[in-house]
Amino acid sequence: MAVENSVLTPRPDSLSLPVDHKPEGEQEAVTEAPMTPADGRGVFNVSEELGHVVTTEAVKVNRSFQSKMAEREATVNQTRKKTQGPEKERGRFGWARTRRKRQRYVEKNGRCNVQHGNMRETYRYLTDIFTTLVDLNWRCSLFVFVMAYAVTWLFFGAIWYLIAYCRGDLDHLEDETWTPCVNNVNGFISAFLFSIETETTIGYGHRVITDQCPVGTMLLLLQAILGSMVNAFMVGCMFVKISQPNKRAETLVFSKNAVISLRDDKLCLMFRVGDLRSSHIVGANMRAKLIKSKQTQEGEFIPLDQTDISVGFETGDDRLFLVSPLVISHEIDARSPFWDMSQAQLEKEDFEIVVILEGMVEATGMTCQARSSYLAEEVQWGHRFSPMMSLAEGFFDVDYGAFHHTFEVDTPSCSARELSLAAARLDAHLYWSISSRLDEEPTLVQQAATEPQAAPPDSGKGEAPTFIVGEMTDNSVPPPALGEPNGSIQSACEA
């Protein structure tokens, strides 16, 4: 190449390029590194003097390129963070961990989201055929209803046709001296119509059984008995299915969300229930269950474990007089499964609360059950239900437009256990401060009585000094007003 064969003169000092001062190790590494062209077509052989300058410029170019790449990557990461929002929680291997939406055990409309599979003892359904037919959906029920009548009509129609065929009645249709088993039966269609008239007791009078056919008489009795049994069975199934109180539960409504707030200085889990009909539910009873998987101390995993949530069973508050919407309250105490749950922990929990309302329908006297459920994200911490009842002229007016409305209230974010400990510490502090002051007052009175005091000039010589014990106490802190214990407990809880 031309560069290799040319003779380069030494450069003057004034033309030398500025070189950054670096440690000796790095500078030697830079000068000893071979230089390759950008296109990769060959290797440059330059003199030592120019080699120092060229390699220095190459390092500068590389550093500027790396800095540009770093800046570009930083800008890309910033835009990516802006578009993606807050960084997701990382798992064990650095993968993004997203909160999986919990599958409901009971839907909001009360339907249980459970399907039974791999059932081999299906014959058990036939042992209770009546309940099986009632539990079928309407499409299958109507199909079974129609097929039950159609099959019996066709079956007995075929037997009537077979009797006529075996006796030779079809061969003597024009013979007036021949007495058939059934008059005017000249084929299968006429035998089928006679079967329908017999089972439904229509009796048009055109097709009549004669007394010359004892087999036909026995068949007539059998068809009448079996027809009555089919009528009783199918009509009974349809009546029970129509009168089922399942649709009555459609007018029993639950609030969309449950709330947690303070009631009488105690955390309570609350939800609202109401009846849209004017006919009431007699003997209404409320129950609640916590559905949450757990693992025992022995390592056994129990999926969808059910824990009872008390809604007033001990005090009788679970028995409702459901004339107007009611707020059902569960006090979070030491026996509650939410005893150690705070607001921050509630956002991370994965559970489901199933609420069940049972009662007897006043119009029909049949037992009705309404169900609903609340997931962890449907429980609002620090909220309270809006009032929806007002007094009108001569009656109480219920506004169902505010049935699902809630509003925020001041609620400590700690758990019920921490709130109880804070209240206990506050009570203990007040108790010991009052008792210590009561112990100090007699000693102060005795000291004041023993010390000689100068009598005031206006007082008489025989008058004894008076002492006001109440002035010994510290009244610098005013007594708390009504409603202030919540704030003190909340501050102690936050501390």
Side-chain angles (χ1 to χ4, degrees):
M1 298 176 64
V3 178
E4 295 177 0
N5 298 329
S6 63
V7 178
L8 301 175
T9 57
R11 58 179 174 79
D13 295 335
S14 60
L15 298 178
S16 62
L17 298 175
V19 180
D20 297 337
H21 295 283
K22 298 186 177 182
E24 297 179 357
E26 294 183 2
Q27 190 171 359
E28 292 177 358
V30 170
T31 55
E32 292 177 1
M35 180 179 177
T36 58
D39 54 359
R41 292 178 292 180
V43 179
F44 294 109
N45 294 325
V46 295
S47 61
E48 296 179 357
E49 295 177 353
L50 277 181
H52 178 73
V53 177
V54 173
T55 52
T56 306
E57 288 294 320
V59 171
K60 286 186 176 181
V61 172
N62 290 336
R63 286 182 178 176
S64 63
F65 178 74
Q66 292 177 358
S67 62
K68 289 181 180 179
M69 290 297 295
E71 292 177 358
R72 184 179 298 177
E73 187 174 355
T75 55
V76 170
N77 291 335
Q78 289 179 0
T79 56
R80 188 176 301 170
K81 288 181 179 180
K82 290 181 181 180
T83 55
Q84 291 181 355
E87 185 178 0
K88 296 181 180 180
E89 184 182 358
R90 297 290 175 179
R92 182 177 180 182
F93 299 99
W95 298 334
R97 180 184 298 172
T98 57
R99 185 173 181 178
R100 181 178 57 88
K101 186 177 180 180
R102 179 183 174 89
Q103 181 67 42
R104 286 187 179 273
Y105 190 65
V106 177
E107 299 291 341
K108 296 293 286 185
N109 57 1
R111 185 181 64 86
C112 297
N113 195 13
V114 177
Q115 294 183 0
H116 302 280
N118 197 17
M119 295 180 298
R120 300 181 180 180
E121 299 179 354
T122 55
Y123 66 89
R124 296 181 180 272
Y125 289 96
L126 299 178
T127 57
D128 189 11
I129 188 64
F130 184 82
T131 306
T132 302
L133 294 177
V134 171
D135 289 340
L136 293 176
N137 53 26
W138 276 105
R139 185 180 302 175
C140 296
S141 297
L142 292 176
F143 178 77
V144 172
F145 185 83
V146 171
M147 290 302 298
Y149 285 102
V151 167
T152 54
W153 294 340
L154 288 173
F155 175 74
F156 284 103
I159 295 179
W160 287 114
Y161 176 78
L162 184 61
I163 291 175
Y165 178 79
C166 294
R167 290 185 76 255
D169 295 340
L170 302 179
D171 298 333
H172 299 82
L173 296 177
E174 301 298 333
D175 190 359
E176 296 181 357
T177 60
W178 181 263
T179 303
C181 183
V182 180
N183 292 327
N184 300 317
V185 174
N186 51 11
F188 179 76
I189 300 300
S190 59
F192 177 70
L193 293 176
F194 178 73
S195 175
I196 296 176
E197 294 175 9
T198 302
E199 188 168 340
T200 57
T201 65
I202 295 177
Y204 291 110
H206 184 64
R207 299 177 184 87
V208 182
I209 189 173
T210 61
D211 56 355
Q212 301 296 325
C213 182
V215 178
T217 304
M218 297 297 296
L219 183 61
L220 181 64
L221 295 175
L222 181 61
Q223 185 176 2
I225 295 173
L226 292 179
S228 300
M229 295 176 62
V230 171
N231 287 332
F233 189 80
M234 298 310 302
V235 171
C237 288
M238 296 302 295
F239 176 77
V240 171
K241 192 170 183 64
I242 292 173
S243 60
Q244 275 185 328
N246 295 339
K247 296 302 179 182
R248 179 64 177 89
E250 297 293 334
T251 53
L252 297 174
V253 292
F254 295 88
S255 58
K256 293 181 180 178
N257 297 307
V259 298
I260 294 179
S261 60
L262 288 175
R263 265 194 176 184
D264 297 331
D265 293 339
K266 295 182 180 179
L267 284 177
C268 295
L269 171 70
M270 293 171 285
F271 58 93
R272 181 179 274 171
V273 60
D275 188 5
L276 301 179
R277 289 187 179 273
S278 57
S279 60
H280 310 304
I281 298 294
V282 180
N285 185 22
M286 177 62 66
R287 293 186 292 127
K289 292 286 185 179
L290 176 65
I291 309 298
K292 182 181 179 181
S293 301
K294 73 172 185 179
Q295 188 172 4
T296 61
Q297 298 179 358
E298 294 78 14
E300 179 186 3
F301 179 75
I302 304 177
L304 301 177
D305 181 63
Q306 299 184 10
T307 305
D308 187 62
I309 300 177
S310 177
V311 289
F313 177 76
E314 296 83 2
T315 59
D317 293 337
D318 60 333
R319 293 184 289 272
L320 310 178
F321 181 53
L322 197 59
V323 178
S324 61
L326 300 176
V327 176
I328 309 302
S329 176
H330 161 66
E331 182 180 336
I332 303 178
D333 52 8
R335 296 173 296 177
S336 172
F338 307 105
W339 176 243
D340 296 320
M341 186 177 298
S342 62
Q343 183 179 4
Q345 189 177 0
L346 175 64
E347 299 175 355
K348 302 178 182 179
E349 285 291 334
D350 187 14
F351 60 85
E352 182 177 357
I353 301 174
V354 178
V355 292
I356 305 170
L357 174 63
E358 294 178 339
M360 187 173 61
V361 181
E362 186 180 25
T364 61
M366 303 184 70
T367 304
C368 172
Q369 185 181 92
R371 298 180 293 267
S372 186
S373 66
Y374 301 98
L375 298 180
E377 54 267 19
E378 295 174 348
V379 179
Q380 298 179 344
W381 190 285
H383 282 248
R384 188 179 297 167
F385 285 106
S386 302
M388 53 182 301
M389 181 178 292
S390 61
L391 180 60
E393 296 182 0
F395 60 92
F396 293 94
D397 186 20
V398 179
D399 181 16
Y400 273 94
F403 185 80
H404 303 286
H405 291 178
T406 60
F407 61 95
E408 294 186 4
V409 292
D410 294 335
T411 304
S413 59
C414 60
S415 63
R417 176 193 290 273
E418 297 172 352
L419 185 63
S420 177
L421 293 176
R425 287 196 297 266
L426 184 61
D427 294 341
H429 175 70
L430 294 176
Y431 172 78
W432 288 111
S433 61
I434 293 173
S435 61
S436 61
R437 290 176 181 177
L438 292 177
D439 293 339
E440 291 176 357
E441 285 182 357
T443 58
L444 293 175
V445 172
Q446 292 176 3
Q447 292 178 2
T450 55
E451 293 179 357
Q453 294 184 358
D458 297 337
S459 61
K461 294 182 180 180
E463 294 180 358
T466 59
F467 301 96
I468 301 175
V469 180
E471 293 182 356
M472 299 289 182
T473 59
D474 185 10
N475 294 329
S476 60
V477 180
L482 184 61
E484 286 189 359
N486 291 343
S488 61
I489 294 175
Q490 182 175 357
S491 61
C493 177
E494 292 176 355

